[in-house]
Amino acid sequence: MKEKSDLMPSQLAEHDKSTSSTGMSRSACLNYHFKVGWREPTAIIGALMVVLFAYLVIVPIVTLMHDAVEVQFGDARRAKSEVGAWTFYYLNRTLASPISQILFWEPLAHTLSVATGVILISLSIGVPLAWLLSRSDMYGRRWFATALIVPYMLPSWTFALAWRTLFRNRTVGGQQGWLENLGFTPPDWLAYGQVPITIILALHYAPFVILLFGNALRSFDSQLEESARILGAKSGTVAFQIIFPLLLPSLLSATILIFAKCIGEFGVNYLLGLPVDYNVLATSLYRSISSRQSGVAAVLAGAIMLIGIISLLVDARLVRESRRFVTVGGKGAMSRNSPLGFYRLLATVFAALVFLISVGIPLLVLVLSTVMKVPADFSVENFTLDYWIGRNLETVALRTGILLTPDLWMAAWNTLRIVGFASLCSGLLGLLVGYVVVRSRVRWISSFLRHVTFFPYLVPGIAFAVAYLSLFAVQRGPIPALYGTGLILILALTADQMPYSSRAGISAMMQLGKDPEEAAQMTGAGWLRRMTSIVIPIQKGALVTGTLLPFISGIKGLSLFVVLAVPTTDVLTTYSLRLIDNNYTQAANAVVLIIAAMAYFGTLAVQNVTKTNLADGLGG
Amino acid sequence: MPNITLSHVSKSYDSLAPAISDLDLVVRDGEFMCLLGPSGCGKSTTLRVIAGLENLSTGEIMIGGRVLDSRDQGIFVPPEQRGAGLVFQSYALWPHLTVERNVSFGLRLRKVPAEEREERVGFVMETLGIEQFRDRYPSQLSGGQQQRVALARMLVIEPDVLLLDEPLSNLDAKLRLKMRAELKRIHGEFGTTIVFVTHDQWEAMTLSTRIAVMNEGSLQQVGSPDEIYNSPANLFVAEFVGNPPINMVPVTAGHDMELSLTLGEYMVRSFPGVDNVGSLGLRPESIRLSVSKPSGNSRCLTSHATVAGILPTGGNWIVELDKGGSPLFVSTNVSPEFNVGEMVYFQVDHSRIHLFDLDGIRVSYEND
């Protein structure tokens, strides 16, 4: 409560004196606190939200930490202690035992080397592209500006599937890869493992660099550059002493965001790492859950979480640093475009090539793979629509085309139901958080809410999912075991999406400010009236955005579902993963194409409706 | 309508210096009271505690005999029950409602019958000249029009007191002048008690019946515009009010610049029996300039200085004098008949000289 701290020490003394002199003033004081602080539902809503988010965010993580140091069911003999007792067994097993090499250290090394490779490649593609898009006279800049960020709108493992379709060799069973069918057997290092994972993730995250670095370039005030030139600086000096230092924070920020995303990346690693036993932290974590080693899983999830938190804290620091620069800027936005001259065509070809490799070819391959019987056979009779709409196919299972399979529609319905409901919840909660944060008179409530709703952002989805698993796998107090229900997915997804929706809500409420509501208060409107007549109608747009954006990211999300979903709560992503595991390549590719289309058109729709740019929702 | 009484009012936010401290102020019925001060002096906070949008840390607020906010008595009346109207600096019009809806909101809330509502809304909108915009949305209005809508929205509920938080600061100069006249007319027409916050001294001077000057959370002086201008209670008020600002010349020992010495000597001669004076204040507009030595009576301060600069301000001139290295600013509406670098005589009436003691408090003498 802030009331006491409101007073300066001297006033406090005076205040106490006056209260003791008036006898009944202790109760008067309490009465006053109540009237000021808790008079309106804002405070009560705030208190309820504190409880809700403590339960949805903090409790699962604490439970997870607890699981890491407590003997789990079935491990009593191995841990040489009773179930429920404190133990270092799991920490020891994961970090220091003979098996730790396989469980933790090797996956960690893989994770870090993949992340490093991804960062290097995406920077070397993204930086030139960002510059070409924002500061040059390359052909088709407008078109490329949208086209080149398409990879980010699609699920990353779309491209992993395309890669598998092209490069798959005999190491795994099922349908052959295109190259193999054309007579060239790709070696394992090209078909699976580090190389393809790195390339695919780099192409997927290059848009991060294009967006963040491009934004920095665009908002870069060219007057800064020009003043240096007027003072007689050569272009090399200008580049290294003026431009580079000012743009460095945005580059570092992109780097760290990519790093943090790589740590939690599951889908691509699962699809391309598994066949050659190339494990990263996320897949090692998935394995230990699948093999019911919940203690080890807790340690691994904790490690992933820790890396995620540290890297994002570093990023927050950098962003603050770069704000310091931004305020210097002034009106900026007077960027000049450099004529490329001879290289104009070359630059355009480069951009087109990146587009082809990162979007064009993968999508084309996926689409073709769903309409061809034998891979890479381009004769007319090889084409068929059977995999989409066929009936009575001569297969053992899945005897109809994917669009005629009830499972697909159930998964689609589940996606809509679970992701839709969770998005609606997080959109509403986000707005409420925004309201409480801006309006609460009890200050710790607003700062707690602001931080707790942002926290899931620091925790990679798969680690978060494991935390939910450990909390809701068994009955705890009045709350029954939720594993296997749609509810656990809704809760986890809602919490996971809160960083985005609460930020949207807070910024919308900040932008609105207190004034319109206070004006209503001055004309005599009570709380309910102000909410229904003023606040909610004005914030309609923010509510739509706060719901739609999580919805789109939820549709293509995989890591959360892969841990928490069971066949009855299959969503499109886990359904496609199951199809892959069963080697229904065409069907899986078709489902992934459906997801990609939903995510892509959904993003476009949101951008159109809200007149915003995807870039605004990133980083920051 | 009742008086508004603030007694020993303080408001502080966490761990910061108090926004207002120990403020005693009575706003009388029907008054147009301006809270004047630099930004951050606590004037807006004062308005907000009267409105009830902030609660007090200590002290008491009453309207008439009714206590609105008192920690000691455990009383806090929420803003919507105080019968005050507040016009925000940002206007805070509701963007999703039409002008008519904005204005009628308070009456609809009070379930005023449609017929009466129409009549009252119509009357206020007509008085403020916004009836032709009734079906527009706020975003389709100019700043001045929005301002009137914000005003109409509060006037229509006939508040006991109308609080205005820098309502003219977002308007351009011409419109501001017009709205100033409008406000004065509205005050006359509706007879509402108005508390008006501004950092613009001209606004305060032209509009108010009384001005309360604030600085760093505490009240400096309350008085009519004349009193504030002619008998500033302390250095702060003297320096804050007046444009160009008053010339303040230290006359204590240790200040041995020529100007200080001249004025010190004059003070000893012309204000016998007044001691403990720290500085003399000369308003630029009370200084007369002449090329030849003026006659004047012996009680006037008369001296000479070099012209260091002449700044025409369109009809008026600001003349910067240099007296042995110290600047002295003079404001005159007579076209200067001298050039930079020449010597001129300056003269100030005895009665127009302000004395302040070492603590910056006004020293009064028999002329006052």
Side-chain angles (χ1 to χ4, degrees):
Chain A
M1 303 273 283
K2 66 167 190 167
E3 272 68 27
K4 275 274 173 182
S5 54
D6 260 352
L7 303 171
M8 307 308 288
S10 61
Q11 289 174 319
L12 202 62
E14 196 184 299
H15 179 68
D16 283 344
K17 224 186 315 163
S18 68
T19 48
S20 61
S21 63
T22 44
M24 58 167 279
S25 50
R26 187 52 63 189
S27 69
C29 232
L30 273 176
N31 199 2
Y32 188 80
H33 285 186
F34 184 77
K35 280 182 180 160
V36 172
W38 302 88
R39 174 173 58 86
E40 299 205 320
T42 312
I44 295 153
I45 293 172
L48 285 177
M49 301 253 272
V50 166
V51 174
L52 178 72
F53 285 114
Y55 193 71
L56 286 185
V57 177
I58 295 176
V59 173
I61 288 168
V62 170
T63 318
L64 178 75
M65 297 292 122
H66 197 245
D67 275 3
V69 291
E70 192 187 66
V71 178
Q72 301 292 307
F73 179 76
D75 289 339
R77 201 163 45 81
R78 272 180 286 177
K80 299 189 180 68
S81 185
E82 307 221 334
V83 171
W86 282 84
T87 180
F88 284 110
Y89 172 70
Y90 300 113
L91 278 169
N92 190 45
R93 183 176 162 83
T94 315
L95 302 177
S97 75
I99 203 175
S100 69
Q101 202 60 32
I102 299 170
L103 278 178
F104 183 74
W105 296 109
E106 206 181 86
L108 177 68
H110 287 164
T111 307
L112 295 179
S113 71
V114 164
T116 313
V118 169
I119 288 166
L120 288 179
I121 298 176
S122 53
L123 282 181
S124 50
I125 298 173
V127 168
L129 280 177
W131 185 81
L132 286 173
L133 286 175
S134 51
R135 298 296 284 268
S136 82
D137 65 345
M138 183 177 75
Y139 293 108
R141 282 198 307 155
R142 280 188 155 276
W143 187 81
F144 277 119
T146 317
L148 287 172
I149 56 169
V150 168
Y152 181 70
M153 300 183 197
L154 307 178
S156 57
W157 40 285
T158 313
F159 304 106
L161 276 187
W163 189 281
R164 262 171 75 124
T165 309
L166 275 178
F167 290 99
R168 177 201 285 261
N169 64 18
R170 274 166 224 165
T171 306
V172 292
Q175 203 189 31
Q176 286 172 311
W178 284 22
L179 287 180
E180 177 126 44
N181 245 26
L182 291 173
F184 166 75
T185 302
D188 270 359
W189 64 263
L190 181 63
Y192 311 104
Q194 178 156 6
V195 172
I197 291 174
T198 309
I199 293 174
I200 286 169
L201 290 179
L203 290 175
H204 181 64
Y205 291 125
F208 258 60
V209 182
I210 298 179
L211 289 172
L212 288 175
F213 188 63
N215 270 355
L217 272 176
R218 263 190 298 280
S219 60
F220 187 84
D221 187 350
S222 52
Q223 288 176 4
L224 299 173
E225 200 178 321
E226 280 151 10
S227 343
R229 275 187 219 278
I230 287 166
L231 291 173
K234 293 198 188 73
S235 43
T237 317
V238 173
F240 281 99
Q241 302 215 0
I242 310 288
I243 301 178
F244 185 68
L246 285 171
L247 294 178
L248 192 61
S250 72
L251 275 185
L252 287 174
S253 187
T255 303
I256 288 167
L257 280 174
I258 292 173
F259 180 76
K261 293 271 175 188
C262 282
I263 300 296
E265 178 62 45
F266 173 76
V268 173
N269 289 311
Y270 179 78
L271 289 174
L272 293 172
L274 212 58
V276 289
D277 262 337
Y278 186 85
N279 271 302
V280 295
L281 285 177
T283 46
S284 175
L285 172 62
Y286 182 67
R287 276 192 173 186
S288 38
I289 301 165
S290 311
S291 54
R292 298 183 182 279
Q293 307 182 59
S294 45
V296 172
V299 176
L300 284 172
I304 294 179
M305 215 181 279
L306 202 65
I307 300 175
I309 290 173
I310 292 172
S311 52
L312 285 160
L313 287 182
V314 172
D315 177 57
R317 175 117 219 177
L318 287 176
V319 168
R320 212 173 307 148
E321 291 279 295
S322 70
R323 288 242 168 85
R324 223 179 51 204
F325 292 138
V326 172
T327 49
V328 183
K331 71 178 172 174
M334 296 185 60
S335 56
R336 291 170 312 150
N337 291 335
S338 317
L340 293 170
F342 171 71
Y343 296 103
R344 199 171 172 195
L345 196 67
L346 212 65
T348 315
V349 169
F350 170 63
L353 215 60
V354 171
F355 176 75
L356 260 188
I357 295 173
S358 66
V359 185
I361 294 175
L363 284 184
L364 187 70
V365 166
L366 280 184
V367 170
L368 286 178
S369 78
T370 62
V371 291
M372 287 162 75
K373 290 179 200 153
V374 179
D377 176 356
F378 297 98
S379 54
V380 179
E381 61 269 25
N382 191 39
F383 284 89
T384 173
L385 283 177
D386 279 356
Y387 300 115
W388 287 95
I389 51 170
R391 285 175 198 279
N392 300 320
L393 303 178
E394 293 163 8
T395 46
V396 185
L398 206 70
R399 297 190 54 188
T400 54
I402 191 72
L403 288 179
L404 301 176
T405 311
D407 286 2
L408 172 83
W409 296 105
M410 197 187 85
W413 166 237
N414 273 340
T415 305
L416 211 64
R417 188 169 64 105
I418 292 170
V419 178
F421 191 71
S423 306
L424 201 62
C425 285
S426 63
L428 272 171
L429 285 171
L431 204 57
L432 270 179
V433 167
Y435 182 80
V436 172
V437 164
V438 173
R439 297 293 316 214
S440 174
R441 282 163 180 267
V442 188
R443 207 154 294 182
W444 68 264
I445 286 189
S446 52
S447 79
F448 176 82
L449 281 179
R450 209 184 346 219
H451 289 115
V452 80
T453 54
F454 185 68
F455 191 72
Y457 188 77
L458 309 180
V459 183
I462 194 151
F464 201 64
V466 173
Y468 264 71
L469 196 61
S470 75
L471 177 63
F472 291 113
V474 293
Q475 175 164 7
R476 286 184 201 262
I479 291 146
L482 293 178
Y483 182 64
T485 64
L487 189 60
I488 190 174
L489 284 169
I490 290 173
L491 290 178
L493 206 54
T494 305
D496 198 45
Q497 290 167 349
M498 278 318 291
Y500 305 98
S501 55
S502 75
R503 276 175 136 201
I506 291 171
S507 76
M509 292 304 304
M510 288 272 187
Q511 218 167 25
L512 178 65
K514 293 174 169 183
D515 287 2
E517 200 195 341
E518 285 182 348
Q521 208 167 358
M522 293 313 299
T523 60
W527 187 82
L528 201 63
R529 185 60 188 248
R530 297 200 301 271
M531 285 308 273
T532 53
S533 301
I534 305 293
V535 178
I536 292 175
I538 294 179
Q539 296 292 23
K540 223 165 31 194
L543 189 61
V544 172
T545 324
T547 307
L548 277 181
L549 279 180
F551 184 70
I552 291 163
S553 84
I555 288 177
K556 55 180 188 177
L558 173 64
S559 50
L560 204 69
F561 294 106
V562 83
V563 175
L564 295 174
V566 295
T568 51
T569 54
D570 246 355
V571 290
L572 285 172
T573 47
T574 49
Y575 178 57
S576 74
L577 208 63
R578 257 178 248 280
L579 290 172
I580 293 165
D581 288 343
N582 294 333
N583 272 320
Y584 296 120
T585 311
Q586 294 90 348
N589 288 358
V591 174
V592 170
L593 279 174
I594 294 173
I595 298 169
M598 283 167 85
Y600 175 72
F601 289 110
T603 311
L604 285 193
V606 171
Q607 291 196 18
N608 271 341
V609 169
T610 59
K611 312 240 180 298
T612 51
N613 197 320
L614 190 72
D616 305 337
L618 273 182
Chain B
M1 268 176 271
N3 292 346
I4 305 168
T5 313
L6 284 71
S7 41
H8 301 294
V9 160
S10 298
K11 170 70 186 173
S12 31
Y13 301 97
D14 307 307
S15 70
L16 295 172
I20 41 178
S21 58
D22 206 24
L23 194 79
D24 278 306
L25 183 66
V26 177
V27 183
R28 298 186 203 118
D29 176 24
E31 195 162 39
F32 197 128
M33 163 78 84
C34 265
L35 302 180
L36 175 67
S39 46
C41 73
K43 52 194 193 305
S44 286
T45 307
T46 309
L47 207 66
R48 289 174 64 84
V49 295
I50 298 175
L53 294 171
E54 306 283 346
N55 63 301
L56 294 182
S57 301
T58 54
E60 201 173 87
I61 294 178
M62 290 195 291
I63 293 191
R66 180 180 175 217
V67 178
L68 295 181
D69 190 341
S70 161
R71 189 178 288 260
D72 290 342
Q73 295 179 46
I75 295 173
F76 179 80
V77 178
E80 57 266 30
Q81 293 161 24
R82 288 196 180 190
L86 172 60
V87 177
F88 292 79
Q89 184 173 9
S90 65
Y91 313 144
L93 296 179
W94 301 306
H96 63 301
L97 299 179
T98 61
V99 167
E100 191 273 334
R101 278 287 187 154
N102 262 285
V103 176
S104 64
F105 186 86
L107 297 180
R108 286 174 197 270
L109 213 64
R110 287 168 180 69
K111 305 226 160 32
V112 172
E115 210 170 301
E116 187 192 338
R117 188 181 73 216
E118 282 295 310
E119 194 181 317
R120 280 167 70 177
V121 169
F123 172 71
V124 172
M125 297 221 303
E126 203 171 311
T127 313
L128 288 174
I130 49 171
E131 72 275 27
Q132 69 270 37
F133 308 127
R134 51 182 302 136
D135 295 322
R136 292 210 198 160
Y137 284 91
S139 58
Q140 300 165 311
L141 301 179
S142 71
Q145 291 158 355
Q146 290 186 14
Q147 216 269 328
R148 285 156 203 255
V149 176
L151 202 57
R153 182 172 67 181
M154 290 300 157
L155 280 174
V156 79
I157 57 172
E158 294 171 4
D160 290 341
V161 52
L162 186 60
L163 308 166
L164 304 170
D165 190 0
E166 306 221 12
L168 305 184
S169 63
N170 289 340
L171 303 180
D172 63 54
K174 202 172 154 194
L175 211 55
R176 195 147 56 200
L177 202 65
K178 193 169 166 216
M179 279 311 294
R180 234 185 259 167
E182 194 95 317
L183 273 179
K184 202 149 187 168
R185 179 174 68 85
I186 288 163
H187 179 240
E189 228 160 274
F190 287 79
T192 318
T193 310
I194 292 181
V195 182
F196 183 101
V197 161
T198 182
H199 62 265
D200 181 333
Q201 42 166 316
W202 286 120
E203 222 160 83
M205 290 288 173
T206 48
L207 283 173
S208 40
T209 51
R210 282 200 307 157
I211 297 175
V213 183
M214 293 181 68
N215 185 37
E216 289 180 352
S218 57
L219 198 59
Q220 305 292 317
Q221 186 176 7
V222 185
S224 68
D226 265 2
E227 284 167 340
I228 299 286
Y229 180 78
N230 290 324
S231 339
N234 57 33
L235 275 183
F236 176 80
V237 177
E239 287 182 324
F240 189 75
V241 176
N243 186 23
I246 194 167
N247 296 288
M248 233 11 121
V249 184
V251 291
T252 45
H255 286 98
D256 51 4
M257 299 293 280
E258 196 187 337
L259 184 63
S260 294
L261 295 176
T262 309
L263 262 64
E265 195 183 299
Y266 167 76
M267 191 196 70
V268 172
R269 186 158 36 87
S270 308
F271 295 94
V274 178
D275 52 359
N276 207 24
V277 170
S279 46
L280 294 192
L282 310 174
R283 291 227 180 263
E285 52 276 25
S286 55
I287 304 176
R288 290 187 301 275
L289 296 177
S290 56
V291 180
S292 53
K293 191 173 167 105
S295 49
N297 67 44
S298 62
R299 294 198 71 195
C300 287
L301 164 67
T302 310
S303 185
H304 56 83
T306 316
V307 177
I310 301 174
L311 312 169
T313 61
N316 280 302
W317 288 264
I318 295 172
V319 179
E320 185 188 355
L321 300 181
D322 179 288
K323 173 89 175 158
S326 313
L328 193 65
F329 289 91
V330 180
S331 171
T332 171
N333 54 9
V334 187
S335 174
E337 48 202 25
F338 40 75
N339 292 313
V340 173
E342 292 177 7
M343 197 200 73
V344 289
Y345 289 93
F346 64 89
Q347 191 171 54
V348 187
D349 286 344
H350 183 265
S351 63
R352 305 291 295 272
I353 291 174
H354 304 279
L355 306 184
F356 299 94
D357 69 14
L358 294 168
D359 297 325
I361 309 295
R362 181 180 188 80
V363 178
S364 47
Y365 49 95
E366 82 278 22
N367 258 354
D368 268 7

